[in-house]
PDB file of all heavy atoms in Angstrom:
ATOM      1  N   GLN A  10     -58.438 -60.953 134.105  1.00  0.00           N
ATOM      2  CA  GLN A  10     -58.135 -61.462 132.752  1.00  0.00           C
ATOM      3  C   GLN A  10     -58.862 -62.684 132.542  1.00  0.00           C
ATOM      4  O   GLN A  10     -59.231 -63.508 133.484  1.00  0.00           O
ATOM      5  CB  GLN A  10     -56.629 -61.824 132.683  1.00  0.00           C
ATOM      6  CG  GLN A  10     -55.691 -60.556 132.619  1.00  0.00           C
ATOM      7  CD  GLN A  10     -54.339 -60.987 132.440  1.00  0.00           C
ATOM      8  OE1 GLN A  10     -53.776 -61.922 133.029  1.00  0.00           O
ATOM      9  NE2 GLN A  10     -53.551 -60.205 131.603  1.00  0.00           N
ATOM     10  N   GLN A  11     -59.135 -63.059 131.284  1.00  0.00           N
ATOM     11  CA  GLN A  11     -59.866 -64.276 131.001  1.00  0.00           C
ATOM     12  C   GLN A  11     -58.976 -65.454 130.525  1.00  0.00           C
ATOM     13  O   GLN A  11     -58.060 -65.169 129.718  1.00  0.00           O
ATOM     14  CB  GLN A  11     -60.949 -64.034 129.875  1.00  0.00           C
ATOM     15  CG  GLN A  11     -62.006 -63.014 130.271  1.00  0.00           C
ATOM     16  CD  GLN A  11     -62.967 -62.719 129.190  1.00  0.00           C
ATOM     17  OE1 GLN A  11     -62.954 -63.177 128.122  1.00  0.00           O
ATOM     18  NE2 GLN A  11     -63.823 -61.732 129.466  1.00  0.00           N
ATOM     19  N   PHE A  12     -59.180 -66.574 131.041  1.00  0.00           N
ATOM     20  CA  PHE A  12     -58.383 -67.790 130.755  1.00  0.00           C
ATOM     21  C   PHE A  12     -59.170 -68.894 130.330  1.00  0.00           C
ATOM     22  O   PHE A  12     -60.242 -69.163 130.934  1.00  0.00           O
ATOM     23  CB  PHE A  12     -57.485 -68.163 131.924  1.00  0.00           C
ATOM     24  CG  PHE A  12     -56.403 -67.174 132.411  1.00  0.00           C
ATOM     25  CD1 PHE A  12     -56.824 -66.217 133.316  1.00  0.00           C
ATOM     26  CD2 PHE A  12     -55.255 -67.039 131.739  1.00  0.00           C
ATOM     27  CE1 PHE A  12     -55.887 -65.258 133.722  1.00  0.00           C
ATOM     28  CE2 PHE A  12     -54.277 -66.178 132.082  1.00  0.00           C
ATOM     29  CZ  PHE A  12     -54.562 -65.206 133.141  1.00  0.00           C
ATOM     30  N   LYS A  13     -58.718 -69.706 129.389  1.00  0.00           N
ATOM     31  CA  LYS A  13     -59.360 -70.999 128.980  1.00  0.00           C
ATOM     32  C   LYS A  13     -58.665 -72.066 129.814  1.00  0.00           C
ATOM     33  O   LYS A  13     -57.450 -72.249 129.697  1.00  0.00           O
ATOM     34  CB  LYS A  13     -59.254 -71.334 127.471  1.00  0.00           C
ATOM     35  CG  LYS A  13     -59.856 -72.613 127.044  1.00  0.00           C
ATOM     36  CD  LYS A  13     -59.635 -72.867 125.518  1.00  0.00           C
ATOM     37  CE  LYS A  13     -60.136 -74.158 125.192  1.00  0.00           C
ATOM     38  NZ  LYS A  13     -59.920 -74.420 123.721  1.00  0.00           N
ATOM     39  N   VAL A  14     -59.411 -72.693 130.631  1.00  0.00           N
ATOM     40  CA  VAL A  14     -58.784 -73.634 131.627  1.00  0.00           C
ATOM     41  C   VAL A  14     -59.530 -75.007 131.519  1.00  0.00           C
ATOM     42  O   VAL A  14     -60.659 -75.145 131.111  1.00  0.00           O
ATOM     43  CB  VAL A  14     -58.863 -73.143 133.058  1.00  0.00           C
ATOM     44  CG1 VAL A  14     -58.048 -71.900 133.244  1.00  0.00           C
ATOM     45  CG2 VAL A  14     -60.318 -73.020 133.585  1.00  0.00           C
ATOM     46  N   SER A  15     -58.763 -76.078 131.879  1.00  0.00           N
ATOM     47  CA  SER A  15     -59.233 -77.404 131.945  1.00  0.00           C
ATOM     48  C   SER A  15     -58.545 -78.065 133.153  1.00  0.00           C
ATOM     49  O   SER A  15     -57.599 -77.534 133.653  1.00  0.00           O
ATOM     50  CB  SER A  15     -59.060 -78.164 130.618  1.00  0.00           C
ATOM     51  OG  SER A  15     -57.738 -78.296 130.323  1.00  0.00           O
ATOM     52  N   LYS A  16     -58.993 -79.288 133.428  1.00  0.00           N
ATOM     53  CA  LYS A  16     -58.397 -79.939 134.616  1.00  0.00           C
ATOM     54  C   LYS A  16     -56.999 -80.296 134.426  1.00  0.00           C
ATOM     55  O   LYS A  16     -56.497 -80.569 133.312  1.00  0.00           O
ATOM     56  CB  LYS A  16     -59.228 -81.327 134.896  1.00  0.00           C
ATOM     57  CG  LYS A  16     -58.919 -81.941 136.157  1.00  0.00           C
ATOM     58  CD  LYS A  16     -59.822 -83.038 136.428  1.00  0.00           C
ATOM     59  CE  LYS A  16     -59.512 -83.880 137.658  1.00  0.00           C
ATOM     60  NZ  LYS A  16     -58.545 -83.644 138.531  1.00  0.00           N
ATOM     61  N   ASP A  17     -56.146 -80.212 135.501  1.00  0.00           N
ATOM     62  CA  ASP A  17     -54.741 -80.479 135.505  1.00  0.00           C
ATOM     63  C   ASP A  17     -53.926 -79.492 134.659  1.00  0.00           C
ATOM     64  O   ASP A  17     -52.858 -79.904 134.118  1.00  0.00           O
ATOM     65  CB  ASP A  17     -54.415 -81.915 135.105  1.00  0.00           C
ATOM     66  CG  ASP A  17     -55.047 -82.872 136.096  1.00  0.00           C
ATOM     67  OD1 ASP A  17     -55.184 -82.529 137.232  1.00  0.00           O
ATOM     68  OD2 ASP A  17     -55.489 -83.957 135.701  1.00  0.00           O
ATOM     69  N   LEU A  18     -54.387 -78.323 134.363  1.00  0.00           N
ATOM     70  CA  LEU A  18     -53.655 -77.328 133.532  1.00  0.00           C
ATOM     71  C   LEU A  18     -52.926 -76.328 134.566  1.00  0.00           C
ATOM     72  O   LEU A  18     -53.492 -75.892 135.573  1.00  0.00           O
ATOM     73  CB  LEU A  18     -54.617 -76.575 132.703  1.00  0.00           C
ATOM     74  CG  LEU A  18     -54.000 -75.570 131.736  1.00  0.00           C
ATOM     75  CD1 LEU A  18     -53.296 -76.240 130.652  1.00  0.00           C
ATOM     76  CD2 LEU A  18     -55.080 -74.652 131.134  1.00  0.00           C
ATOM     77  N   LYS A  19     -51.675 -75.990 134.208  1.00  0.00           N
ATOM     78  CA  LYS A  19     -50.976 -74.974 135.035  1.00  0.00           C
ATOM     79  C   LYS A  19     -51.074 -73.594 134.302  1.00  0.00           C
ATOM     80  O   LYS A  19     -50.789 -73.537 133.093  1.00  0.00           O
ATOM     81  CB  LYS A  19     -49.530 -75.345 135.229  1.00  0.00           C
ATOM     82  CG  LYS A  19     -49.315 -76.571 136.059  1.00  0.00           C
ATOM     83  CD  LYS A  19     -47.929 -76.925 136.212  1.00  0.00           C
ATOM     84  CE  LYS A  19     -47.657 -78.139 137.084  1.00  0.00           C
ATOM     85  NZ  LYS A  19     -46.279 -78.484 137.238  1.00  0.00           N
ATOM     86  N   VAL A  20     -51.408 -72.665 135.023  1.00  0.00           N
ATOM     87  CA  VAL A  20     -51.651 -71.292 134.429  1.00  0.00           C
ATOM     88  C   VAL A  20     -50.919 -70.233 135.283  1.00  0.00           C
ATOM     89  O   VAL A  20     -50.892 -70.277 136.507  1.00  0.00           O
ATOM     90  CB  VAL A  20     -53.183 -70.945 134.442  1.00  0.00           C
ATOM     91  CG1 VAL A  20     -53.384 -69.566 133.807  1.00  0.00           C
ATOM     92  CG2 VAL A  20     -53.930 -72.038 133.717  1.00  0.00           C
ATOM     93  N   TYR A  21     -50.302 -69.255 134.599  1.00  0.00           N
ATOM     94  CA  TYR A  21     -49.674 -68.106 135.247  1.00  0.00           C
ATOM     95  C   TYR A  21     -50.661 -66.943 135.196  1.00  0.00           C
ATOM     96  O   TYR A  21     -51.113 -66.542 134.147  1.00  0.00           O
ATOM     97  CB  TYR A  21     -48.390 -67.726 134.462  1.00  0.00           C
ATOM     98  CG  TYR A  21     -47.276 -68.713 134.635  1.00  0.00           C
ATOM     99  CD1 TYR A  21     -46.964 -69.652 133.646  1.00  0.00           C
ATOM    100  CD2 TYR A  21     -46.482 -68.790 135.779  1.00  0.00           C
ATOM    101  CE1 TYR A  21     -45.947 -70.576 133.754  1.00  0.00           C
ATOM    102  CE2 TYR A  21     -45.470 -69.735 135.932  1.00  0.00           C
ATOM    103  CZ  TYR A  21     -45.231 -70.563 134.942  1.00  0.00           C
ATOM    104  OH  TYR A  21     -44.231 -71.511 135.140  1.00  0.00           O
ATOM    105  N   VAL A  22     -50.995 -66.449 136.346  1.00  0.00           N
ATOM    106  CA  VAL A  22     -51.943 -65.304 136.477  1.00  0.00           C
ATOM    107  C   VAL A  22     -51.285 -64.181 137.280  1.00  0.00           C
ATOM    108  O   VAL A  22     -50.239 -64.311 137.843  1.00  0.00           O
ATOM    109  CB  VAL A  22     -53.266 -65.708 137.127  1.00  0.00           C
ATOM    110  CG1 VAL A  22     -53.960 -66.793 136.285  1.00  0.00           C
ATOM    111  CG2 VAL A  22     -53.055 -66.191 138.558  1.00  0.00           C
ATOM    112  N   HIS A  23     -51.897 -62.978 137.204  1.00  0.00           N
ATOM    113  CA  HIS A  23     -51.417 -61.912 137.990  1.00  0.00           C
ATOM    114  C   HIS A  23     -51.386 -62.327 139.452  1.00  0.00           C
ATOM    115  O   HIS A  23     -52.237 -63.109 139.912  1.00  0.00           O
ATOM    116  CB  HIS A  23     -52.256 -60.626 137.832  1.00  0.00           C
ATOM    117  CG  HIS A  23     -52.065 -59.900 136.517  1.00  0.00           C
ATOM    118  ND1 HIS A  23     -50.795 -59.504 136.033  1.00  0.00           N
ATOM    119  CD2 HIS A  23     -52.931 -59.648 135.473  1.00  0.00           C
ATOM    120  CE1 HIS A  23     -50.914 -58.942 134.903  1.00  0.00           C
ATOM    121  NE2 HIS A  23     -52.232 -59.035 134.499  1.00  0.00           N
ATOM    122  N   ARG A  24     -50.573 -61.652 140.266  1.00  0.00           N
ATOM    123  CA  ARG A  24     -50.272 -62.170 141.678  1.00  0.00           C
ATOM    124  C   ARG A  24     -51.550 -62.129 142.438  1.00  0.00           C
ATOM    125  O   ARG A  24     -52.266 -61.212 142.444  1.00  0.00           O
ATOM    126  CB  ARG A  24     -49.326 -61.109 142.265  1.00  0.00           C
ATOM    127  CG  ARG A  24     -48.872 -61.429 143.714  1.00  0.00           C
ATOM    128  CD  ARG A  24     -48.110 -62.697 143.919  1.00  0.00           C
ATOM    129  NE  ARG A  24     -46.846 -62.727 143.303  1.00  0.00           N
ATOM    130  CZ  ARG A  24     -45.706 -62.546 143.870  1.00  0.00           C
ATOM    131  NH1 ARG A  24     -45.638 -62.151 145.063  1.00  0.00           N
ATOM    132  NH2 ARG A  24     -44.591 -62.644 143.112  1.00  0.00           N
ATOM    133  N   LEU A  25     -51.755 -63.291 143.091  1.00  0.00           N
ATOM    134  CA  LEU A  25     -52.851 -63.491 144.003  1.00  0.00           C
ATOM    135  C   LEU A  25     -52.406 -63.309 145.427  1.00  0.00           C
ATOM    136  O   LEU A  25     -51.247 -63.591 145.712  1.00  0.00           O
ATOM    137  CB  LEU A  25     -53.586 -64.893 143.776  1.00  0.00           C
ATOM    138  CG  LEU A  25     -54.126 -65.149 142.414  1.00  0.00           C
ATOM    139  CD1 LEU A  25     -54.553 -66.581 142.391  1.00  0.00           C
ATOM    140  CD2 LEU A  25     -55.218 -64.192 142.104  1.00  0.00           C
ATOM    141  N   SER A  26     -53.247 -62.954 146.308  1.00  0.00           N
ATOM    142  CA  SER A  26     -52.965 -62.736 147.754  1.00  0.00           C
ATOM    143  C   SER A  26     -52.828 -64.019 148.559  1.00  0.00           C
ATOM    144  O   SER A  26     -52.471 -63.918 149.703  1.00  0.00           O
ATOM    145  CB  SER A  26     -53.847 -61.754 148.369  1.00  0.00           C
ATOM    146  OG  SER A  26     -55.167 -62.202 148.329  1.00  0.00           O
ATOM    147  N   ASN A  27     -53.280 -65.105 148.009  1.00  0.00           N
ATOM    148  CA  ASN A  27     -53.359 -66.381 148.783  1.00  0.00           C
ATOM    149  C   ASN A  27     -51.839 -66.978 148.907  1.00  0.00           C
ATOM    150  O   ASN A  27     -50.982 -66.783 148.120  1.00  0.00           O
ATOM    151  CB  ASN A  27     -54.193 -67.406 148.023  1.00  0.00           C
ATOM    152  CG  ASN A  27     -55.548 -66.852 147.747  1.00  0.00           C
ATOM    153  OD1 ASN A  27     -55.751 -66.013 146.917  1.00  0.00           O
ATOM    154  ND2 ASN A  27     -56.517 -67.389 148.508  1.00  0.00           N
TER     155      ASN A  27
END
Side-chain angles (χ1 to χ4, degrees):
Q10 291 183 319
Q11 295 176 7
F12 295 93
K13 179 181 177 182
V14 297
S15 59
K16 189 172 179 358
D17 298 329
L18 182 73
K19 291 181 181 176
V20 182
Y21 291 99
V22 298
H23 286 302
R24 180 67 61 99
L25 301 174
S26 61
N27 302 76

